[in-house]
Amino acid sequence: MTRTEITPDYSVAPQIGAGDVAEIKALGFRSIMCNRPDGESFGQPEVAGVRAEAERLGLAFAFVPVVSGAMTLDDVEDFRAALADLPTPVLAYCRSGARCRNLWMLAQG
């Protein structure tokens, strides 16, 4: 799994699957956030499977879906609220990780 650390408490990654969750936990993450809507592309793992595995392994999970190229101020506020509630460190994922990085940057303002 590829990941990029934004801060010690927040990292981003491209699409993950349920099979990646054990590694995420082993890396020390306490929460996972998905910023990718289900059904965005063919073959994309559904968020329910990733969430179930995260919760089974004791990780917190948030689903804040954001449509690529159509981010709104409400999306940023939803992201900010979810991030404030999650135990850190948090790994956020989307298709490439860019949406998660952009959400974080906009939430800082």
Side-chain angles (χ1 to χ4, degrees):
M1 180 199 63
T2 303
R3 63 186 167 88
T4 301
E5 184 177 288
I6 305 301
T7 73
D9 288 334
Y10 184 75
S11 295
V12 301
Q15 179 68 55
I16 64 167
D20 297 309
V21 176
E23 178 185 358
I24 291 164
K25 182 174 180 165
L27 288 168
F29 289 97
R30 296 177 59 210
S31 302
I32 297 173
M33 182 189 304
C34 175
N35 297 130
R36 187 176 193 196
D38 273 337
E40 191 174 68
S41 65
F42 179 76
Q44 168 188 340
E46 290 190 11
V47 71
V50 178
R51 176 192 291 265
E53 184 64 4
E55 292 175 349
R56 186 184 78 77
L57 293 176
L59 298 175
F61 193 93
F63 182 41
V64 182
V66 175
V67 175
S68 181
M71 191 178 301
T72 67
L73 290 175
D74 286 341
D75 292 332
V76 175
E77 287 303 317
D78 291 345
F79 171 84
R80 185 181 288 131
L83 192 59
D85 288 341
L86 291 172
T88 58
V90 175
L91 178 75
Y93 74 92
C94 59
R95 188 190 64 76
S96 69
R99 232 174 302 185
C100 303
R101 179 190 319 259
N102 292 339
L103 281 162
W104 183 86
M105 290 187 323
L106 290 168
Q108 303 310 300

